[in-house]
Amino acid sequence: MSNEMTLDKAQTSETEVSAVRAAPKKRSQWAEVWHRLKRDKMALCGLAILTVVVFAAVFADFIADYETVVIAQNLGDRLQGPSAQYWLGTDEFGRDIFARMIHGSRVSLLVGVLSVSISIVLGGSLGAVAGYYGGKLDNVIMRVMDVFLAVPSILLAIAIVSALGANLINLMFAISISSIPSYARVVRASVLSIRDQEFIEAARAIGASDFRIILRHIIPNSLAPVIVQGALGVAGAILATAGLSFIGLGIQPPEPEWGAMLAGGRQYLRHAWHVTTFPGLAIMITILALNLLGDGLRDALDPRLKH
Amino acid sequence: MKTVTKIAMTSVMAIALSACSGTPEQDTNTLVVAQNSDAKTLDPHTTNDNASSRVAAQIYSQLVEADEDMNIVPGLAASWTIVDEKTTDFKLRQGVKFHNGEELKASDVKFTLERMIASPTVAHITNAIDTIEVLDDYNVRITTKEPFGPLLHHLTHTASSILNEKAVLEAGANYGQNPIGTGPYKFTDWAAGDRINLTAFGDYYDGKQSIENVVFRNIVEGTNRAIALETGEVDISYDIEPIDKQNIATKDGLRLLEDEALSNGYFGMNVNKAPFNDQRVRQAVAYAINSQDIIDAVILGAGRPSNSPIGPKVFGYNPDAKQYAQNLEKARQLMAEAGYTSPINTSIWTNDNPVRVQIAQILQAQLREIGINMSIEVVEWGAFLDGTGRGDHDTYILSWTTVTGDADYGMYALFSSDTHGGAGNRSFYSNPRVDELLNQGRTSTDPDVRHAAYSELQALIQEEVPTITLYNSFQNAGMQDNITNFKLSPTGHHKLRGVEFVEG
Amino acid sequence: MHKFIFKRLILLVPVLLGVSLLVFAIMSFTPGDPAQLILGENAPAPAVEALREEMGLNDPFIMRYANFVGNAVTGDMGRSYTTGREVATEIFDRFPNTLILAALGTIIAIVIGVPVGILSATRQYSWIDSSSMIMALLGVSMPNFWLGLMLILVFSVTLGWLPSGGFMGWSSLILPALTLGTGSAAIITRMTRSSMLEVIRQDYIRTARAKGVAENVVINKHALKNALIPVITVVGLQFGYLLGGAVLTETVYSWPGVGRMMVDAIRQKDSPTVLATVVFLATTFSLVNLSVDILYGFVDPRIKSQYA
């Protein structure tokens, strides 16, 4: 059940301490990981889906114009079913659901990636500092993290957004805050496992500063578990965004967001099932892709865990 | 594998079966009513929201009541005499019992109204009252500070329900969950967030109801309310969503009631600010708006265009006041006359209510046609009230419900020079003639004089348009066919007194 | 062991203080004046100011927080701004609804997750394994509020078999419990499978097999017991999450539980209720986690010895 990864031996070959370390690699670690990932069909499938979603987000404006299609109301065509003109039908304002879903991917990916990055940076640094220095500092940091962990993350995010007001920035902030502790824990655990290893001591011996040791040695060596956690974290953040928007605390209209879209269709469930169904499918497929990729990355980064 | 699957299957089946056996049965002793939120409190002096009033309306009675056409009829007061223009004497029915067994006395009326005047939430309904005097156990005299024409209308309000002094004092802070009234149904228990149970009151002054139990269920989602009605889980469902109306109206065994309510939605302009200080610009705006578009798209047909700040069911309504219809040519001409030939930038304030935000979006598009570019400022409710109270805004969207069914309530706060800002006149409109008419309507006790004053007033407002009434709202309820005597009250606080199941 | 439980309970105190401080601070930043909210938009300014003073809203933050904690310790969580009702009473009125849903959801998750997980592990790489793993992945990936709506669409709207929301008899438990159970079932399936696989590869299982013990005996008697230990943790954590985080499902089904109470309170800016519900749910969540740790100690003697 250990979460520690076995990758702490690479990464630093170009630095002065690499000579101290055992078993230098022939192939770079990341090439190795990619090589393993390539053989995992499920992970590749996830990667492919994700590429499509990213592509849709990047080129959304070429697929459907924001002003004239995505937010423009067309009240004559309300709640139309899927057709040649509207591939996935229209919503309660006669807007093209397909176009809105394409544009909605921007919000989801943006919030997903940015909020996870924020929590990785903040949580990671806290975890690294706690793990590296230990003692009182460790105790204080981790007790504060416990406070955050004591509240189910969705509750915490809801409370924060409701206090600060519902908009994109606050949403990202709330979601990242609530997942900081898990990154802090992961990084701390892996720091603890390598803190006392020889190559760190060697670095210390040749007079490297704490900051440099953390930055150059500790952090790169705890990247693997963070990456796995991050891939799953993006999935979690997208789900949280959708959930908050669903209860009206997320992205505000007319901006398209998957959770808000399906919430809007809720009262038309019996007359226009497509309004709720398709945005939900978009969420599910994106999360599925991230989960597939996350699983694949975990296996690729730590072959020992692969069954 | 097989055993495992079997175990899983049987467990799931067992859960499903045990669950199905518990389905509630239909009975004609219990009337189940669904509404879209739970009551907050059943103390009528601490809240003014619909969901609470709709339950309170069954538990309490008022001195006088309004029928479904908003005519004043006797309630707890069997009769009343207008002594002079400030004084009215009420003769109470004798032998009326509260749910706790106490008899209704004039002292309860005094206690209730004084408590009401002291309550910031509802004081505005009765603050015209100066003193309440107990003449004897069954006679009470109400004196107003100034002559006050709409007094009786104000006493019909659900907030003016008569409470029992002893019960209120005994329950203290918990009175809202232990209400005692004189109404046809008494409170039994409350599963917060889910349902409130009432039972018929045996000693109700007008005779015990034939339906033994009434259950108010909180079903937030419109779809779910419609489904619950269709499957027979509920007997009456308030506020059917527009999209479900057709289904309910055409389905065998169900009926849809729909009627005009006392509410409207309006667009107001701050007349202290250019360009809205110019009457021609305001008229141009009125000509630029197509309110039918708003009705169709935002409230989905549940309303109709309006020619007055008050609706046809309100006392004092003038059917001949001016009805604006979209006329862009005329609008542009008025803008030109006012000297605005190039586009101007201004803003529209709304709170985060989705209906109002959608209206703002449509108004934004419609006014762009005549060269008024509006940015939409969506502000939080508290900030909205503050800002529009101070006059920070250019224009705003709001709604108003004339709960008393009298023009005074519908227009005084909105158009008087006394009520600028937070007191209700968020357009900061002033017109001496309007003030004069408002006072005439308020202080006269002669219905004909009042009606004439209000008719002229509406004509004036529609000419000077400090606010543009976008629509008068409809309200509805869906119900099972086997229910009779259920009527919609224009106030929205429908009374279940007399509702029965027909033998089928 | 007692010492361990005691220590953990003591540790809970600063955590709860922290949580309440956090939420209290958050709610204090919320725009909107509670006094104005209570009195309504028609209330005159002096009345609002008087109520502010009476409620202690003009006191410094620290004093207000200290008051809150002082009252909370005696079980007084204040009164709701919107209903005037004691918040603690309402939470306890509603908690059984949340509890029964979380319990049923967990039972469904176990009933589906554990057998399917074992099956997958014992038939690794078979079609059963791959299809159940795909199902599990879908289950993990599905937003539960969406699943809830889809179940309503199929079972209430289309088939008309089950009620779509609210609490009316036992039949209204089925859909919300299924909705809650699905995600957890998926997680438990995956956990059971990987834990089982790990155990199966251990030496003692190989030995048992080599000795000719029948396969189902190997699985049921030797492997299962050890494989289920980590599963218990996951089940416990899931139960905690379902108790504390069923907000969205409760909203979808208009379920009168504590989660929806919180969401409603947030919409109405009813801070005492928000504060009390969050602190309550966090406490419940932490207590469930603690119980899981203790239980874990009982089932795994290796861990138990650490507490001694």
Side-chain angles (χ1 to χ4, degrees):
Chain A
M1 287 300 303
S2 101
N3 235 345
E4 289 124 77
M5 303 288 168
T6 48
L7 279 170
D8 38 40
K9 303 236 170 60
Q11 257 306 294
T12 45
S13 48
E14 73 281 9
T15 70
E16 64 273 18
V17 283
S18 65
V20 190
R21 304 187 50 208
K25 294 269 165 170
K26 288 179 223 102
R27 183 152 51 175
S28 105
Q29 176 206 351
W30 297 108
E32 184 76 33
V33 169
W34 172 239
H35 180 71
R36 281 198 289 263
L37 194 65
K38 257 195 325 200
R39 287 184 313 206
D40 186 341
K41 275 191 208 126
M42 298 290 261
L44 282 187
C45 182
L47 195 61
I49 298 174
L50 217 56
T51 313
V52 173
V53 177
V54 171
F55 187 85
V58 172
F59 296 101
D61 282 330
F62 294 98
I63 301 169
D65 185 63
Y66 188 77
E67 288 290 329
T68 59
V69 179
V70 176
I71 59 163
Q73 304 181 355
N74 186 1
L75 300 167
D77 282 352
R78 299 177 70 240
L79 303 173
Q80 305 248 323
S83 65
Q85 191 189 353
Y86 303 113
W87 291 359
L88 302 180
T90 61
D91 69 3
E92 66 272 29
F93 293 105
R95 299 176 296 204
D96 186 347
I97 291 179
F98 177 70
R100 288 178 66 75
M101 263 167 62
I102 296 289
H103 278 259
S105 64
R106 290 185 160 184
V107 176
S108 295
L109 289 182
L110 188 73
V111 175
V113 172
L114 276 184
S115 63
V116 166
S117 313
I118 298 171
S119 20
I120 287 179
V121 171
L122 293 180
S125 333
L126 286 169
V129 168
Y132 185 76
Y133 291 103
K136 268 202 189 114
L137 188 62
D138 180 23
N139 222 335
V140 169
I141 291 178
M142 294 324 282
R143 286 299 79 75
V144 173
M145 293 297 111
D146 281 350
V147 168
F148 285 89
L149 276 177
V151 193
S153 54
I154 183 86
L155 278 192
L156 191 61
I158 287 175
I160 294 175
V161 174
S162 73
L164 300 181
N167 63 44
L168 189 68
I169 305 287
N170 293 344
L171 191 67
M172 272 192 290
F173 176 68
I175 292 173
S176 40
I177 289 270
S178 48
S179 50
I180 284 177
S182 43
Y183 295 100
R185 283 201 158 182
V186 168
V187 172
R188 177 176 172 273
S190 74
V191 168
L192 283 179
S193 74
I194 55 177
R195 181 176 64 178
D196 299 323
Q197 285 191 12
E198 287 173 354
F199 73 101
I200 301 288
E201 268 166 36
R204 213 174 272 144
I206 59 171
S209 69
D210 282 353
F211 181 71
R212 185 181 168 81
I213 290 175
I214 291 182
L215 200 70
R216 297 303 298 268
H217 306 298
I218 303 265
I219 289 185
N221 280 298
S222 32
L223 265 183
V226 170
I227 287 172
V228 174
Q229 177 98 349
L232 301 174
V234 172
I238 291 178
L239 268 182
T241 310
L244 286 168
S245 300
F246 178 74
I247 51 175
L249 288 171
I251 303 298
Q252 296 301 304
E255 178 93 1
E257 195 281 334
W258 294 338
M261 284 173 72
L262 76 87
R266 208 174 147 191
Q267 61 164 312
Y268 309 108
L269 197 57
R270 41 199 327 225
H271 308 278
W273 54 274
H274 60 275
V275 184
T276 313
T277 308
F278 292 128
L281 275 177
I283 302 174
M284 189 174 88
I285 290 169
T286 310
I287 306 292
L288 182 68
L290 282 161
N291 280 335
L292 287 173
L293 187 65
D295 283 1
L297 273 174
R298 188 188 49 218
D299 295 343
L301 287 165
D302 185 2
R304 201 188 51 164
L305 285 177
K306 182 153 176 94
H307 305 302
Chain B
M1 111 124 234
K2 275 165 196 127
T3 41
V4 171
T5 325
K6 255 187 216 156
I7 292 169
M9 287 300 286
T10 36
S11 325
V12 170
M13 296 278 281
I15 291 172
L17 283 176
S18 67
C20 289
S21 57
T23 314
E25 282 174 29
Q26 275 295 312
D27 70 276
T28 53
N29 249 335
T30 305
L31 181 76
V32 183
V33 181
Q35 60 173 344
N36 62 9
S37 69
D38 195 15
K40 289 181 175 153
T41 158
L42 294 173
D43 178 349
H45 295 170
T46 55
T47 188
N48 209 352
D49 68 293
N50 244 341
S52 307
S53 300
R54 283 171 165 180
V55 181
Q58 324 310 326
I59 298 174
Y60 296 101
S61 334
Q62 298 77 38
L63 281 179
V64 285
E65 292 175 11
D67 66 11
E68 63 274 11
D69 297 317
M70 297 309 288
N71 299 311
I72 307 282
V73 295
L76 292 176
S79 65
W80 56 92
T81 341
I82 296 170
V83 180
D84 61 44
E85 56 180 8
K86 288 192 197 171
T87 316
T88 313
D89 283 356
F90 293 86
K91 190 173 179 56
L92 301 183
R93 282 174 205 271
Q94 297 199 8
V96 174
K97 287 273 173 35
F98 281 101
H99 300 157
N100 60 354
E102 296 278 305
E103 197 194 342
L104 169 75
K105 296 279 174 60
S107 57
D108 293 312
V109 176
K110 182 178 163 73
F111 169 79
T112 300
L113 293 176
E114 283 174 353
R115 182 173 186 258
M116 192 174 167
I117 292 164
S119 151
T121 316
V122 292
H124 62 282
I125 295 166
T126 42
N127 56 13
I129 296 177
D130 187 24
T131 58
I132 303 109
E133 205 180 326
V134 175
L135 301 176
D136 61 43
D137 270 359
Y138 303 104
N139 285 287
V140 64
R141 168 170 292 176
I142 296 179
T143 314
T144 55
K145 294 168 193 155
E146 304 292 331
F148 190 65
L151 178 67
L152 293 178
H153 284 277
H154 284 229
L155 293 176
T156 64
H157 196 287
T158 311
S160 307
S161 295
I162 302 302
L163 277 46
N164 178 243
E165 181 169 7
K166 188 168 159 234
V168 172
L169 297 179
E170 273 175 7
N174 295 320
Y175 180 73
Q177 287 75 50
N178 301 282
I180 297 290
T182 53
Y185 289 97
K186 65 178 180 195
F187 173 84
T188 47
D189 65 297
W190 191 338
D194 183 31
R195 63 181 65 208
I196 295 175
N197 292 316
L198 309 176
T199 50
F201 177 43
D203 288 332
Y204 180 54
Y205 71 81
D206 207 19
K208 193 182 173 207
Q209 301 295 304
S210 72
I211 293 176
E212 191 62 38
N213 305 298
V214 169
V215 181
F216 274 92
R217 291 218 13 223
N218 170 25
I219 306 184
V220 181
E221 282 297 308
T223 312
N224 292 354
R225 280 198 304 283
I227 294 172
L229 189 66
E230 286 170 25
T231 56
E233 285 161 37
V234 308
D235 298 304
I236 300 177
S237 184
Y238 293 166
D239 302 323
I240 298 292
E241 296 290 343
I243 188 129
D244 294 318
K245 284 196 313 203
Q246 191 60 28
N247 261 14
I248 304 282
T250 54
K251 189 168 163 132
D252 276 350
L254 296 181
R255 255 190 304 156
L256 182 80
L257 302 182
E258 182 161 37
D259 199 4
E260 194 132 356
L262 298 173
S263 323
N264 64 25
Y266 70 93
F267 170 69
M269 290 159 278
N270 184 343
V271 303
N272 283 345
K273 286 198 179 171
F276 304 106
N277 51 354
D278 190 320
Q279 181 178 316
R280 288 167 297 192
V281 172
R282 299 199 300 267
Q283 287 172 340
V285 171
Y287 279 119
I289 293 174
N290 180 346
S291 44
Q292 194 62 47
D293 269 2
I294 294 172
I295 293 167
D296 291 342
V298 183
I299 56 171
L300 308 172
R304 68 161 161 237
S306 170
N307 70 331
S308 161
I310 55 176
K313 296 225 166 189
V314 176
F315 173 85
Y317 172 70
N318 175 2
D320 302 322
K322 180 165 184 165
Q323 170 79 63
Y324 285 86
Q326 193 180 40
N327 183 342
L328 292 176
E329 203 172 310
K330 191 148 190 180
R332 290 192 191 104
Q333 187 193 328
L334 283 161
M335 288 300 284
E337 278 171 29
Y340 295 100
T341 43
S342 52
I344 42 176
N345 294 319
T346 176
S347 69
I348 181 166
W349 279 44
T350 172
N351 72 322
D352 43 16
N353 175 332
V355 166
R356 291 185 193 145
V357 174
Q358 285 174 34
I359 292 176
Q361 290 174 1
I362 293 179
L363 288 177
Q364 182 187 43
Q366 290 179 349
L367 294 184
R368 190 177 286 148
E369 295 287 314
I370 61 163
I372 300 179
N373 294 327
M374 301 191 134
S375 61
I376 300 176
E377 311 281 340
V378 181
V379 282
E380 188 267 327
W381 182 234
F384 178 87
L385 290 179
D386 278 0
T388 53
R390 275 195 307 270
D392 296 346
H393 60 303
D394 296 326
T395 69
Y396 64 106
I397 298 174
L398 210 51
S399 58
W400 189 262
T401 304
T402 309
V403 267
T404 60
D406 186 274
D408 176 69
Y409 196 94
M411 295 197 288
Y412 195 93
L414 266 59
F415 303 114
S416 166
S417 307
D418 297 343
T419 55
H420 277 187
N425 185 349
R426 295 173 199 272
S427 307
F428 294 88
Y429 172 71
S430 278
N431 178 336
R433 180 61 188 156
V434 165
D435 288 340
E436 197 180 316
L437 291 167
L438 283 170
N439 280 324
Q440 206 174 352
R442 173 169 280 194
T443 55
S444 168
T445 44
D446 178 345
D448 294 336
V449 174
R450 301 188 68 222
H451 206 292
Y454 287 127
S455 286
E456 187 187 338
L457 188 55
Q458 288 162 71
L460 257 173
I461 296 294
Q462 287 303 95
E463 184 61 28
E464 305 203 335
V465 282
T467 68
I468 297 164
T469 308
L470 301 171
Y471 56 83
N472 279 330
S473 315
F474 290 166
Q475 60 173 346
N476 69 45
M479 59 188 237
Q480 305 291 343
D481 235 353
N482 63 343
I483 292 167
T484 58
N485 289 340
F486 175 74
K487 297 184 187 98
L488 293 172
S489 159
T491 60
H493 310 165
H494 319 305
K495 294 197 170 169
L496 299 173
R497 180 177 60 194
V499 172
E500 290 179 342
F501 286 102
V502 263
E503 303 296 317
Chain C
M1 194 71 193
H2 291 289
K3 230 168 126 188
F4 166 75
I5 296 173
F6 183 71
K7 205 176 135 197
R8 286 287 305 264
L9 280 174
I10 292 293
L11 269 178
L12 205 56
V13 173
V15 167
L16 288 180
L17 274 178
V19 170
S20 60
L21 180 63
L22 187 74
V23 182
F24 196 86
I26 288 175
M27 293 319 289
S28 302
F29 290 129
T30 314
D33 178 356
Q36 184 85 56
L37 279 165
I38 294 172
L39 297 179
E41 57 176 298
N42 294 309
V48 175
E49 189 46 43
L51 186 65
R52 280 187 64 83
E53 194 57 47
E54 188 192 322
M55 290 168 67
L57 290 172
N58 293 331
D59 296 343
F61 175 81
I62 288 298
M63 222 167 113
R64 281 187 288 140
Y65 178 66
N67 274 338
F68 165 77
V69 174
N71 291 334
V73 168
T74 64
D76 174 11
M77 303 295 278
R79 282 179 184 270
S80 155
Y81 287 167
T82 50
T83 66
R85 189 191 287 245
E86 279 179 32
V87 177
T89 318
E90 186 159 346
I91 288 181
F92 285 109
D93 278 355
R94 286 181 179 232
F95 184 59
N97 295 335
T98 297
L99 188 65
I100 191 169
L101 214 54
L104 259 183
T106 311
I107 290 172
I108 291 176
I110 296 172
V111 164
I112 297 173
V114 173
V116 174
I118 295 171
L119 205 62
S120 286
T122 52
R123 274 156 231 231
Q124 200 185 1
Y125 304 128
S126 70
W127 66 269
I128 298 178
D129 181 30
S130 10
S131 54
S132 45
M133 280 307 102
I134 290 174
M135 291 299 285
L137 257 174
L138 282 175
V140 178
S141 307
M142 227 180 306
N144 62 355
F145 53 90
W146 182 69
L147 173 65
L149 289 172
M150 292 298 112
L151 290 177
I152 292 178
L153 181 61
V154 174
F155 292 102
S156 307
V157 175
T158 311
L159 299 173
W161 288 356
L162 293 167
S164 56
F167 185 84
M168 355 163 185
W170 292 99
S171 57
S172 25
L173 276 166
I174 300 178
L175 292 185
L178 262 182
T179 306
L180 277 184
T182 304
S184 305
I187 293 170
I188 291 173
T189 308
R190 282 160 60 102
M191 191 65 228
T192 310
R193 176 177 179 271
S194 64
S195 157
M196 194 72 187
L197 283 176
E198 204 155 311
V199 172
I200 287 175
R201 287 179 311 173
Q202 307 266 325
D203 290 342
Y204 73 95
I205 297 292
R206 256 181 240 157
T207 316
R209 274 187 183 146
K211 276 179 17 194
V213 180
E215 181 67 16
N216 64 337
V217 178
V218 171
I219 298 297
N220 289 332
K221 251 188 109 179
H222 301 278
L224 202 54
K225 231 160 79 188
N226 285 311
L228 283 184
I229 292 173
V231 174
I232 290 174
T233 315
V234 175
V235 168
L237 288 177
Q238 285 303 311
F239 180 60
Y241 270 109
L242 296 191
L243 269 182
V247 179
L248 294 172
T249 306
E250 291 193 354
T251 308
V252 169
Y253 289 100
S254 307
W255 189 257
V258 182
R260 191 164 66 93
M261 179 178 169
M262 182 192 71
V263 173
D264 288 348
I266 284 174
R267 290 206 180 119
Q268 296 165 340
K269 310 245 159 172
D270 182 355
S271 12
T273 308
V274 176
L275 195 57
T277 42
V278 174
V279 171
F280 177 80
L281 290 176
T283 313
T284 319
F285 183 66
S286 308
L287 286 177
V288 170
N289 286 356
L290 173 59
S291 321
V292 171
D293 283 358
I294 295 168
L295 194 67
Y296 201 56
F298 276 113
V299 290
D300 190 343
R302 280 169 304 180
I303 294 165
K304 197 172 172 181
S305 62
Q306 290 174 9
Y307 301 145

